[in-house]
């Protein structure tokens, strides 16, 4: 039976209905709310492409059942972080560093980095690499991604 | 849906001239909303010798470029825009590229082989230059001013002496750009380049960084339903039964589709398809047709050879080996690898009124169109494939197979079907880079120079072509029965001038997994063996590895990349290995060189490695690379490609290997098929040689070729031990160190 759920996504109420309480948040965001930021990469929490913020924390939405979210949890996706006109400082830094090739992983890189900088505003390069150790990139854009995070942190 | 829409209404044939009006609301998906060509009579030319196959000039002063080559995440959309805008004298933001739509774009061949600029870009350049020359001619006639007194600038043609000009839109209104591409057309003097050669920012990046880009995986079609495939548990298993009742409780289940050994579930919502695929009970026959993994190389050696390709023959290698003062022999192997796309493959197909439309991230939509036609029994004219950028593919991954799945399913349920592969589908069922086994022999003269070189490559038969679609094979629909591993004999011959050389590729009748090209196919594995074995010769001769290469290299552009990379890496001339090594972590450096396919891009690299003597762990902290790909279109794009090639290939040589049991792939996720992660990614130091007056050559593949040998050579330099089996895992390195 379809169950109504009220989510708070990118600062707006987002009422959705799910057939299965185990439905991962990723599918609700992409299929019900039409968002493109969080991406399906593995469905196993291994690659980070699906990362979103839940109450400011980086969370793997592909292994987060929608029913596990606390009432009132504030979900932010790459779209909510910033826009083309008003990019978040991390997004602006990634654009300035041209830190993408195919860009499929980039959602996770930006969301994970933005969460890192919230906690640690001036991480050194080792800390950035450690924070992104569970985010996979196959194109080999890692150097530019690290530089983009440094730029956003003002440590470049 | 947030996709650019090139609607039927906006594409009009006006007075014979193709005038395109654009409503571009987002990137990442090309034209798509109108029905297949054969039904609407829309006559956009696509013949590769016509100017208006490649470009259209809009009434709004914009140009649309129609490119058969597609952007696979390499930035080529931007580079092709630069080439076209340069040649048309238009600002970059007035050029848009439609990619890989079989109804709209010419067939410029698959997007592979590092040819998007070298072939695709050059063809677009010629078409644009032909168009510009015609526009100037038309203006000359209208204004009554000789063509050589006119200049084109910023989308207008005006007199050099000043005065009123005519815009391109004004000019094409009066006549057609219906003309043949002139291959001898005078293209712009590189000294006048304003856009080509500049590090222009990529057009797709802002939208990718803000979640506004539409990837194939994001694409949606009205009325679309979702499917997941249920692959056999072993490659050759037969489907014996399906218990449809096992998924009866799935909400929105539309159909369990079974055709031969092809099995899939189709549902209204995506998560339901994921659940149904997992829940569906099916019985399959057992199959154990794969070799034992730990006997893979014996299996390869025992596989029937169907023919020998002699890729080079100079002098008499056999006789010279017999007479050599010193003889060396070694065998190298390179494991089975997967592409490893971060986004599993995805496609949508719709069958309507006898016409099939397929939205796909395929690198070869024109070839895929023919495959889908053959598979479905439709005429090729009744099939349209439309490129929508997906996750990077690094060769022929599963994108085309997902398209085959979608086509089969669209026919079965009579609605547009989106097929999204799972991680295990991608790791388990994308075609693989085949295992490569190489035997080498060299004979040295009394001075230590190579007097004889003989090599034998054990690699599957076949070339580039169409890789059979999984759905067609499983459902026993028409499909190719030959292997298409790519042009994997490339760079089996050497770029050095040795007096006696024989290089032979033994082409094998089979290989354990359906093969295809992974990035730099064959050229990576072959260069690895050649450049590592050459290093063995240098060590045997007691020579510095750089100096040893330069002795036998006559090509000045090759010499330049090697000497420049040596400068960049502060190379110290001395033989390998290092002497007097102490401590647990040993450090070394290795050099490597390639002239790609012996007829284009030159690359040289130096790897620095750290080898932990007690664990066998190898790290590559830094990698230097110098490339000469002729004329550079976008140096920032080339740097991005070099970063990618080096990092991806370091990952391949240190970590990657497809594992399998007797029935199927067992490395089905990122923990069983690990790739390099941030803490271990090398610093890549790049120096580019730009030659604006030369031809532009490929940059997407060549630098991957030099990485494996540079790493192997550096490990030898650090430890005195030669590793000859990719991947260089801690277990292998430790065993080699203990055996030393």
């Amino acid at each position: 039976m379809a169950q109504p759920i009220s989510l708070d996504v990118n600062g707006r109420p987002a009422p959705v209905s799910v057939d299965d309480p185990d439905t991962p948040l990723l599918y609700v965001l992409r299929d019900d709310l039409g968002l493109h930021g969080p991406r399906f990469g593995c469905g196993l929490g291994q690659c980070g492409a699906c990362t979103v913020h839940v109450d400011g924390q980086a969370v793997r939405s592909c292994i987060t059942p929608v029913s596990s979210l606390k009432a009132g949890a504030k979900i932010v996706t790459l779209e909510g972080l910033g826009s083309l006109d008003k990019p978040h400082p991390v997004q602006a830094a990634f654009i300035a560093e041209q830190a993408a090739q195919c860009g499929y992983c980039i959602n996770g890189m930006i969301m994970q980095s933005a969460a890192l900088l919230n906690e640690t505003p001036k991480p050194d390069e080792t800390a950035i690499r450690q924070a992104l150790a569970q985010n996979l990139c196959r194109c080999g854009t890692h150097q530019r991604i690290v530089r983009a995070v440094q730029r956003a942190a003002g440590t470049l | 849906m947030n996709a650019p829409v090139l609607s039927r209404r906006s594409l009009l044939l006006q007075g014979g001239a193709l005038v395109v009006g654009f409503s571009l609301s987002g990137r990442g998906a090309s034209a798509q909303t109108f029905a297949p060509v054969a039904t609407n009579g829309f006559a956009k030319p696509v013949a590769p010798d016509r100017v208006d196959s490649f470009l259209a000039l809009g009434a709004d002063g914009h140009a649309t470029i129609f490119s058969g080559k597609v952007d696979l995440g390499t930035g080529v959309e931007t580079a092709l825009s630069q080439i076209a805008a340069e040649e048309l004298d238009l600002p970059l933001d007035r050029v848009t590229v439609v990619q890989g739509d079989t109804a709209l774009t010419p067939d410029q061949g698959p997007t592979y082989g590092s040819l998007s600029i070298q072939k695709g870009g050059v063809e677009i350049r010629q078409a644009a230059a032909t168009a510009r020359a015609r526009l100037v001619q038309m203006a000359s006639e209208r204004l009554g001013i000789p063509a050589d007194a006119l200049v084109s600038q910023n989308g207008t043609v005006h007199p050099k002496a000043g005065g009123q000009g005519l815009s391109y839109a004004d000019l094409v209104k009066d006549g057609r750009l219906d003309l043949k591409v002139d291959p001898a057309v005078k293209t712009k003097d590189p000294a006048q380049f304003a856009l080509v050669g500049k590090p222009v920012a990529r057009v797709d990046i802002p939208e990718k960084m803000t979640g506004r880009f539409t990837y194939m995986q994001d694409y949606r079609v009205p009325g679309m339903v979702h499917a997941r495939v249920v692959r056999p548990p072993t490659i050759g298993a037969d489907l014996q039964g399906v218990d449809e009742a096992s998924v009866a409780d799935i909400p929105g289940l539309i159909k369990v589709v079974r055709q031969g050994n092809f099995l899939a579930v189709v549902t209204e919502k995506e998560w339901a398809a994921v659940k149904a695929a997992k829940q569906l009970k099916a019985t399959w026959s057992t199959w154990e047709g794969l070799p034992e993994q730990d006997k893979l190389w014996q299996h390869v050696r025992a596989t029937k050879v169907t023919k020998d390709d002699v890729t080079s023959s100079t002098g008499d290698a056999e006789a010279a080996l017999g007479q050599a003062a010193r003889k060396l022999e070694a065998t190298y192997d390179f494991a089975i690898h997967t592409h490893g796309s971060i986004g599993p493959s995805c496609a949508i197909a719709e069958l309507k009124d006898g016409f099939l439309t397929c939205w796909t991230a395929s690198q070869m939509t024109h070839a895929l169109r023919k495959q889908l036609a053959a598979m479905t029994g439709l005429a090729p004219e009744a099939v349209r494939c439309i490129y929508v950028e997906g996750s990077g593919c690094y060769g022929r991954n599963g994108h085309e197979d997902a398209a085959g799945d979608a086509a089969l399913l669209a026919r079965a349920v009579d609605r547009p079907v989106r097929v999204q592969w799972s991680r295990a589908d991608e790791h388990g069922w994308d075609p693989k880079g085949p295992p490569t086994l190489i035997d080498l022999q060299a004979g040295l003269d009394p001075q230590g120079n190579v007097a004889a070189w003989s090599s034998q490559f054990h690699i599957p038969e076949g070339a580039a072509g169409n890789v059979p679609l999984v759905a067609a094979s499983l459902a026993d629909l028409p499909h190719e029965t030959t292997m298409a591993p790519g042009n994997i004999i490339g760079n089996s011959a050497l770029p050095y001038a040795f007096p006696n050389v024989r290089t032979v590729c033994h082409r094998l009748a089979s290989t354990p997994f359906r093969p295809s090209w992974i990035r730099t196919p064959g050229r990576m594995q072959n260069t690895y063996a050649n450049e590592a074995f050459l290093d063995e010769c240098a060590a045997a001769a007691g020579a510095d590895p750089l100096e040893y290469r330069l002795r036998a290299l006559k090509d000045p552009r090759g010499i330049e990349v090697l000497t420049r990379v040596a400068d960049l890496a502060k190379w110290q001339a001395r033989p390998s290995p290092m002497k007097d090594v102490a401590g647990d972590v040993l450090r070394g450096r290795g050099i490597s060189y390639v002239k790609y396919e012996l007829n284009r891009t030159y690359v040289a690299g130096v790897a620095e490695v750290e080898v932990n003597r007690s664990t066998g762990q190898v790290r590559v902290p830094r990698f230097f690379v110098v490339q000469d790909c002729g004329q550079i279109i976008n140096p920032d794009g080339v740097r991005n490609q070099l970063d990618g090639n080096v990092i991806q290939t370091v990952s391949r040589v240190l970590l990657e290997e497809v594992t399998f049991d007797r029935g199927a792939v067992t490395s089905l996720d990122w923990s069983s098929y690990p790739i390099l992660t941030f803490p271990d990614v090398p610093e890549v130091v790049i120096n580019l040689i730009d030659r604006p007056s030369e031809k532009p050559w490929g940059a997407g593949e060549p630098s991957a070729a030099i990485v494996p040998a540079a790493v192997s050579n550096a490990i030898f330099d650090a430890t005195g031990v030669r590793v000859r089996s990719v991947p260089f895992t801690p277990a292998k390195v430790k065993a080699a160190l203990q055996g030393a």
Side-chain angles (χ1 to χ4, degrees):
Chain A
M1 276 300 101
Q3 295 169 13
I5 294 185
S6 185
L7 297 176
D8 180 328
V9 180
N10 296 332
R12 274 185 233 148
V16 293
S17 97
V18 293
D19 296 318
D20 173 5
D22 291 340
T23 306
L25 175 61
L26 176 68
Y27 290 85
V28 175
L29 296 174
R30 289 181 55 79
D31 292 336
D32 295 298
L33 300 177
L35 293 167
H36 292 184
R39 321 207 56 76
F40 173 67
C42 63
L44 306 164
Q46 292 178 340
C47 76
C50 66
T51 304
V52 300
H53 291 173
V54 178
D55 293 331
Q57 300 292 311
V59 164
R60 303 282 162 105
S61 68
C62 76
I63 50 167
T64 302
V66 69
S67 59
S68 73
L69 295 167
K70 280 185 285 188
K74 293 198 182 312
I75 299 156
V76 175
T77 72
L78 189 62
E79 290 94 335
L81 202 63
S83 64
L84 281 168
D85 296 335
K86 284 190 179 170
H88 181 275
V90 174
Q91 290 171 317
F94 271 65
I95 293 168
E97 291 294 332
Q98 294 282 292
Q101 290 184 45
C102 83
Y104 198 88
C105 70
I106 285 298
N107 166 71
M109 301 298 175
I110 291 176
M111 299 308 282
Q112 195 74 40
S113 301
L116 168 70
L117 296 186
N118 273 341
E119 301 262 316
T120 313
K122 303 274 177 201
D124 64 13
E125 186 184 336
T126 307
I128 294 168
R129 285 180 176 238
Q130 281 305 328
L132 294 173
Q134 304 302 316
N135 286 71
L136 301 181
C137 164
R138 183 56 161 172
C139 292
T141 320
H142 305 72
Q143 292 197 117
R144 290 179 181 222
I145 291 168
V146 171
R147 273 203 303 273
V149 181
Q150 290 172 316
R151 175 188 279 263
T155 59
L156 195 62
Chain B
M1 192 162 71
N2 178 26
V5 173
L6 184 60
S7 74
R8 188 178 181 177
R9 270 193 303 281
S10 67
L11 264 170
L12 299 173
L13 285 166
Q14 296 184 350
L18 181 63
V19 179
V20 178
F22 252 87
S23 135
L24 196 64
S25 58
R27 282 184 184 280
S30 51
Q32 70 286 104
T33 54
F34 49 101
V37 168
T39 56
N40 64 14
F42 169 64
K44 160 77 178 65
V46 294
D49 63 343
R50 309 300 304 177
V51 167
D52 49 7
S53 298
F54 289 97
L55 62 92
L57 296 170
D60 57 356
H62 282 66
T64 305
I65 302 303
F66 297 90
S67 172
K69 301 282 189 195
V70 299
D71 196 329
L72 302 170
T74 59
V76 81
E77 178 185 6
T78 304
L80 295 176
S81 301
Q82 286 174 260
I83 291 172
E86 184 75 70
E87 229 34 76
L88 286 168
D89 287 318
L90 277 173
L92 193 66
D93 62 4
R94 279 161 63 187
V95 171
T96 308
V97 184
V98 171
Q99 307 166 43
D101 181 333
T102 58
L104 299 176
T105 62
D107 182 358
Q108 295 180 277
T111 306
Y112 62 20
S114 243
L115 294 166
S116 294
I117 298 296
Q118 182 174 330
K119 180 176 187 293
V122 166
E123 288 168 354
I124 286 169
R125 174 178 277 169
Q126 286 168 348
T130 308
R132 197 197 63 87
R134 173 59 66 95
L135 288 163
V136 171
Q137 185 59 38
M138 290 160 92
S140 167
E141 287 158 18
R142 286 261 301 268
L143 296 170
I145 298 172
D148 59 8
L150 295 170
V151 63
S152 55
Q153 199 176 36
N154 216 14
T156 63
V157 183
H158 58 82
K160 282 179 183 166
Q164 194 65 32
L166 290 166
S167 73
Y168 294 170
D170 281 342
L171 289 164
V172 280
K173 224 186 285 179
D174 290 340
R176 298 184 65 180
L177 274 178
D178 177 19
L179 67 160
K180 269 189 113 144
V181 176
D182 175 6
V185 67
K186 188 170 162 23
T187 55
K188 194 181 265 188
D189 176 358
Q192 306 299 317
F193 282 165
L195 291 167
V196 166
K198 304 294 185 290
V200 167
R202 268 172 55 169
V203 295
D204 54 333
I205 279 188
E207 287 171 357
K208 285 180 172 176
M209 299 306 185
T210 51
R212 269 69 178 177
F213 191 85
T214 301
Y215 288 92
M216 181 63 237
Q217 284 85 349
D218 303 313
Y219 200 74
R220 299 291 183 268
V221 168
M224 184 185 88
V225 294
H226 293 270
R228 283 289 190 282
V229 291
V230 180
R231 294 297 192 220
T234 58
I235 292 169
D238 284 323
L239 182 55
Q240 295 170 324
V242 179
D243 174 13
E244 294 201 21
S246 63
V247 290
D249 64 329
I250 296 288
L253 180 76
I254 294 168
K255 195 169 182 178
V256 175
V257 178
R258 176 186 178 179
Q259 187 167 347
N261 294 320
F262 179 89
L263 185 62
V265 289
V266 185
T267 60
E268 293 287 349
K269 291 190 75 173
E270 186 175 12
W271 177 246
V274 177
K275 280 192 74 168
K278 197 179 279 183
Q279 202 173 300
L280 184 68
K281 287 200 172 74
T283 48
W284 302 84
S285 68
T286 55
W287 181 86
E288 293 193 326
L290 291 173
E292 289 176 57
Q293 176 145 25
D294 59 5
K295 293 184 182 146
L296 174 64
W297 301 114
Q298 293 100 301
H299 170 84
V300 169
R301 213 173 269 290
T303 304
K304 186 184 164 199
V305 174
T306 55
K307 67 164 178 165
D308 280 348
D309 288 323
V310 179
T311 52
S312 65
S313 182
T314 306
D316 188 338
E318 199 179 336
L321 276 170
Q323 295 156 10
R326 189 155 174 209
K327 199 171 151 186
L328 285 80
E329 274 187 24
T331 294
Y332 284 78
D333 64 62
F334 196 112
I336 303 171
H337 277 200
T338 199
H339 298 84
S341 302
I342 296 297
S345 296
C346 179
I348 298 171
E350 178 175 29
L351 185 63
K352 201 170 170 183
D353 305 326
F355 290 88
L356 181 73
T357 306
C358 182
W359 292 267
T360 169
S362 168
Q363 61 170 206
M364 41 202 303
T365 47
H366 284 87
L368 176 64
R369 177 196 201 192
K370 292 176 192 150
Q371 286 193 290
L372 295 181
M375 173 183 156
T376 55
L378 292 166
E381 298 70 39
V383 179
R384 179 179 179 189
C385 294
I386 300 172
Y387 180 71
V388 186
E389 187 177 333
S391 185
C393 59
Y394 327 107
R396 200 303 199 172
N397 71 342
H399 287 321
E400 288 77 9
D401 296 304
D405 295 336
L408 193 157
L409 290 166
R411 193 162 64 169
V413 301
D414 207 23
R415 285 174 71 179
V417 179
R418 173 180 181 270
V419 177
Q420 168 69 67
W421 278 18
S422 70
R423 174 48 48 201
D425 292 336
E426 188 74 29
H427 267 59
W429 286 84
D430 86 320
K432 305 299 179 215
T436 306
L437 182 69
I438 307 118
D439 298 320
L440 303 111
Q441 294 174 293
L444 307 188
D445 68 15
Q447 290 73 45
N449 295 315
V450 175
W453 180 284
S454 173
S455 56
Q456 301 182 61
F457 299 77
H458 306 264
I459 51 178
E461 65 178 2
N466 290 342
V467 177
L469 300 174
V470 173
S473 305
L474 290 175
D476 202 20
L477 294 166
H479 62 277
E480 298 80 358
T481 53
T482 52
M483 294 190 288
N487 175 24
I488 56 174
I489 65 174
N491 287 113
S492 52
L494 298 170
Y496 302 102
F498 298 141
N500 301 285
V501 178
R502 186 173 165 85
T503 58
V504 183
C505 295
H506 300 307
R507 310 307 299 273
L508 310 179
S510 67
T511 188
F513 296 94
R514 182 177 61 130
S516 79
W517 43 97
I518 56 172
R519 192 180 200 171
T520 319
R523 286 89 91 172
M524 170 174 61
Q525 296 91 331
N526 303 345
T527 303
Y528 147 63
N530 289 341
E531 285 291 306
F533 189 59
L534 185 60
D535 225 62
E536 297 198 45
C537 297
D544 170 67
L546 169 65
E547 184 270 325
Y548 196 72
R549 283 171 171 75
L550 294 175
R551 281 186 209 174
L553 191 58
K554 305 297 172 208
D555 188 325
R557 288 172 78 171
I559 292 167
E560 184 171 353
V561 291
L562 267 168
T563 52
R564 278 175 73 156
V565 82
D567 288 346
L568 190 65
K570 298 190 170 52
W571 183 265
Q572 291 178 336
R574 57 169 175 78
S576 289
M578 298 271 277
K579 299 267 188 303
D580 306 324
V581 290
D584 227 21
V585 176
L586 305 179
R587 290 180 177 80
R589 89 291 200 255
I591 198 163
S592 175
Y593 163 73
V594 74
K595 179 180 183 180
Y596 203 54
E597 298 193 292
L598 300 183
N599 60 14
R600 48 194 181 128
T601 304
Y602 298 82
V603 199
V606 170
E608 291 180 351
V609 303
E610 297 171 358
V611 183
N612 186 310
R613 219 176 345 197
S614 52
T615 63
Q617 188 90 34
V618 177
R619 283 193 78 242
V620 180
R622 203 148 55 145
F623 200 102
F624 302 89
V625 56
V626 174
Q627 177 171 290
D628 169 2
C629 60
Q631 180 190 89
I632 293 173
I633 308 303
N634 187 324
D636 196 57
V638 172
R639 285 174 179 276
N640 216 352
Q641 289 301 292
L642 296 191
D643 277 356
N645 271 323
V646 170
I647 292 168
Q648 185 177 103
T649 313
V650 167
S651 177
R652 289 195 181 284
V653 299
L654 294 186
L655 297 169
E656 297 182 33
E657 178 169 27
V658 170
T659 62
F660 52 93
D661 58 22
R662 300 300 304 278
V665 173
T666 52
S667 48
L668 295 173
D669 63 11
W670 294 117
S671 66
S672 50
Y673 190 93
I675 60 173
L676 205 66
T677 59
F678 275 93
D680 294 317
V681 161
E683 178 192 356
V684 184
V685 183
I686 296 167
N687 191 319
L688 299 178
I689 300 174
D690 187 11
R691 301 190 190 276
S693 57
E694 295 287 338
K695 286 177 185 164
W697 283 330
E701 292 179 347
S703 53
I706 55 152
V707 174
V711 175
S712 172
N713 298 346
I715 293 170
F716 175 77
D717 186 58
T719 65
V721 167
R722 176 61 59 178
V723 287
R724 302 189 184 92
S725 177
V726 167
F728 309 142
T729 58
K732 286 184 196 170
V733 173
K734 199 173 166 186
L737 286 166
Q738 284 166 349

